Amino acid sequence: MTAARSSAKSTTTTESARPEDEKLSIGSAFTYGLQHVLTMYGGIIAPPLIIGSAAGVDPQMIGVLIAACLFVGGLATLLQTLGLKFGKNVPPLFGSQLPLVQGVSFAGVATMLAIVNGNKETGLTDIFGAVIIAGLIGLVIAPFFAQIVRFFPAVVTGVVITTIGLSLMPVAGKWITGQNPEAPGWADPVNIGIAAFTLAVIMLLSKVGNAFISRLSILIAMIVGTIFAVVIGRADFSKVLDGPVFAFPTPLAFGVPTFNIAAILSMTIVVLVILTETTADILAVAEITGSKVDRKRIAAGLRADMVSTAVAPIFNSFTQSAFAQNVGLVAVTKIKSRYAVAAGGGVLIVLGLFPVLGRIVAAMPTAVLGGAGIVLFGTVTASGIRTLAKVKYDGNMNLIIVATSISVGVLPEVVPGIYSHFPSWFQVIFNSGISSAAVMAILLNLIFNVWTKGNSENPSVFGAAPVRSVKTDVIRVLKEGDRVQNGKLVDAEGKHVPVLDDDQVDSSH
């Protein structure tokens, strides 16, 4: 009763048929939104740190880049979750209206580093110009790209969702161990202990907490884990007050964008990868929330991605995409409301306007994030496995589609340099486990399940149906003359014999 009252106080459900339209109280929405921000914060600040450092930007201006990425990510999240439509009783033209957090995409980091290294003087402005043009190209092709949704049956979406979780696991690992294996503190047992402590808190709260506390287990565990790190001397908040408290992002703070043809072509390939990943994320979160998505809704989500990408460089930010790690948080907390994520977008905007708040969050030990990431990213993988469990594998080649696609997707994660001698455009696509698995799953699904001409009538061992078997307790209850007729079990006199699920049998005793 206590849990029910607590949940009732924090959440009010609308009669809407869409689970993502669930209304939350302001306090609950911003609490869950903060949880989303903490989950993706490390990911959203990493690209500006990497690119700014490579471009030779001084530390103060790197802070400007980080604040800009937070600010633009917040605006993009609001557009994606709330949507923007022109007229009444029409679907949004921009925004999928799903619980998806937007931020700077990792997909373009390698390409942007290549652009910077090609010309240190104009590298950053070349990136901004390339992102603007590539974003506009993506905006034009988004509706056509959304047409590929018909090529995403369960065998494909299951592969993509599973690979999203698997490809994110190295992120959690690096949060725990550190990024550089040659650094002195790499894989420090104390950091592993902090991650384990955070993970243990999540497990404890999930087991003994009421519904409200269980949903906040990630946020509470991060706070408790940070306090633990402070107590043992592994968290440093001494530099929180260094720098301005409030600062509005200055448009074109690094100069007017420049337009380099080679950079634009490279970034356009990145945008194609982002479109693929965002489509996968939309399908993944829809699978988790039970939402219905069609081509128009996917196209609206992709438009939100691309218009945010095209505008981002004006405010000193980069390519925008949906964050896969937050899909796992939706699965863990069961909070399907897009308004919780919209509140997280508001938090991101505030962090972008108040750099001091961003510095507080940035001081949180990455090992704490790693401990939470194990649960978050593992949940995404489990959701993909659940989808794959619905796929039929007898008499077809679905098993080899799943096996090959997931293996291809995992390959660049376990062997990062496998495509290092291939052209840069190839690396942009296949260095991403998500996009490489998606490409392979779509292609193999077309070859085996769509273009069926030429398929063997006797599939290989990968398509062989499993050996049929019946449990002895089922045989015992059958009587002479029992048979299946018109899809129902009937006895010798033609009377229907009810077939009960295991849980129905248990409850009847």
Side-chain angles (χ1 to χ4, degrees):
M1 290 295 291
T2 303
R5 289 196 188 99
S6 176
S7 179
K9 288 179 181 179
S10 62
T11 308
T12 56
T13 307
T14 66
E15 294 299 320
S16 170
R18 304 197 315 179
E20 64 270 24
D21 291 335
E22 180 185 15
K23 299 289 186 180
L24 302 174
S25 67
I26 294 177
S28 295
F30 276 96
T31 303
Y32 293 128
L34 177 61
Q35 191 169 232
H36 273 285
V37 170
L38 291 176
T39 300
M40 53 85 72
Y41 190 84
I44 200 172
I45 68 171
L49 276 171
I50 296 169
I51 297 165
S53 299
V57 176
D58 64 71
Q60 185 176 358
M61 293 306 289
I62 287 179
V64 171
L65 279 177
I66 292 174
C69 290
L70 293 168
F71 180 76
V72 173
L75 293 176
T77 300
L78 292 180
L79 180 62
Q80 186 70 270
T81 54
L82 302 180
L84 179 62
K85 58 183 180 180
F86 302 92
K88 295 182 179 179
N89 301 321
V90 295
L93 185 63
F94 298 95
S96 63
Q97 292 190 324
L98 288 167
L100 289 167
V101 179
Q102 300 289 118
V104 177
S105 172
F106 259 104
V109 170
T111 299
M112 288 187 277
L113 284 176
I115 294 172
V116 166
N117 293 331
N119 190 330
K120 292 287 185 180
E121 292 184 5
T122 63
L124 207 52
T125 55
D126 283 349
I127 289 174
F128 290 142
V131 170
I132 290 173
I133 301 300
L136 293 175
I137 292 172
L139 184 61
V140 172
I141 67 175
F144 304 101
F145 202 88
Q147 299 300 315
I148 70 170
V149 67
R150 67 180 183 274
F151 300 126
F152 278 82
V155 67
V156 174
T157 57
V159 164
V160 173
I161 296 168
T162 302
T163 309
I164 288 174
L166 293 175
S167 63
L168 286 172
M169 199 53 67
V171 176
K174 289 177 181 178
W175 280 344
I176 298 171
T177 62
Q179 300 291 327
N180 183 9
E182 297 180 2
W186 189 80
D188 188 336
V190 176
N191 287 335
I192 296 175
I194 292 172
F197 176 80
T198 305
L199 178 61
V201 173
I202 295 172
M203 297 296 103
L204 180 64
L205 294 176
S206 299
K207 179 176 176 62
V208 304
N210 59 30
F212 183 69
I213 291 177
S214 181
R215 287 172 173 176
L216 287 176
S217 59
I218 302 294
L219 175 60
I220 296 172
M222 285 182 175
I223 295 172
V224 173
T226 301
I227 293 173
F228 174 69
V230 170
V231 171
I232 64 175
R234 285 305 181 103
D236 182 11
F237 290 86
S238 62
K239 297 182 179 179
V240 165
L241 297 179
D242 293 351
V245 174
F246 174 87
F248 188 85
T250 303
L252 305 178
F254 295 87
V256 178
T258 51
F259 302 96
N260 180 292
I261 297 298
I264 291 171
L265 291 175
S266 298
M267 199 56 62
T268 300
I269 296 173
V270 171
V271 159
L272 293 175
V273 174
I274 291 173
L275 288 171
T276 303
E277 292 187 344
T278 296
T279 300
D281 290 335
I282 289 174
L283 293 171
V285 80
E287 176 75 20
I288 290 169
T289 60
S291 307
K292 294 181 179 180
V293 296
D294 55 17
R295 299 175 191 174
K296 291 183 178 179
R297 200 169 183 187
I298 291 175
L302 297 180
R303 286 194 199 97
D305 248 18
M306 292 300 101
V307 75
S308 300
T309 293
V311 172
I314 305 299
F315 293 96
N316 317 300
S317 189
F318 309 105
T319 50
Q320 301 292 305
S321 70
F323 262 54
Q325 48 261 59
N326 291 83
V327 175
L329 187 57
V330 174
V332 170
T333 64
K334 303 295 189 296
I335 299 296
K336 304 173 182 179
S337 174
R338 58 192 174 99
Y339 299 109
V341 175
V347 173
L348 285 172
I349 292 173
V350 172
L351 288 173
L353 293 174
F354 289 88
V356 64
L357 298 179
R359 291 193 293 271
I360 291 174
V361 178
M364 178 178 290
T366 58
V368 172
L369 296 175
I374 291 174
V375 177
L376 294 172
F377 307 155
T379 304
V380 178
T381 304
S383 297
I385 293 172
R386 183 176 59 186
T387 301
L388 290 174
K390 302 174 184 177
V391 177
K392 293 182 179 180
Y393 296 96
D394 54 309
N396 56 49
M397 298 296 287
N398 282 336
L399 184 62
I400 198 170
I401 293 174
V402 172
T404 305
S405 302
I406 290 180
S407 297
V408 169
V410 171
L411 207 54
E413 306 299 337
V414 297
V415 188
I418 188 170
Y419 302 123
S420 58
H421 296 296
F422 282 71
S424 59
W425 64 266
F426 187 95
Q427 293 185 48
V428 168
I429 297 172
F430 288 95
N431 273 341
S432 165
I434 299 170
S435 61
S436 57
V439 169
M440 185 59 65
I442 293 170
L443 180 61
L444 293 181
N445 180 63
L446 287 172
I447 292 172
F448 292 116
N449 293 335
V450 177
W451 302 325
T452 56
K453 186 177 180 179
N455 283 6
S456 173
E457 294 183 3
N458 299 306
S460 72
V461 65
F462 296 103
V467 178
R468 296 184 61 195
S469 61
V470 180
K471 293 183 178 180
T472 54
D473 56 348
V474 175
I475 296 294
R476 291 192 188 102
V477 300
L478 294 177
K479 297 181 178 180
E480 186 69 29
D482 287 349
R483 63 192 185 280
V484 176
Q485 182 176 310
N486 296 327
K488 295 183 178 180
L489 180 64
V490 297
D491 61 15
E493 299 178 359
K495 295 181 181 180
H496 174 243
V497 179
V499 178
L500 304 178
D501 293 333
D502 290 341
D503 55 349
Q504 292 176 303
V505 174
D506 294 338
S507 62
S508 65
H509 291 301

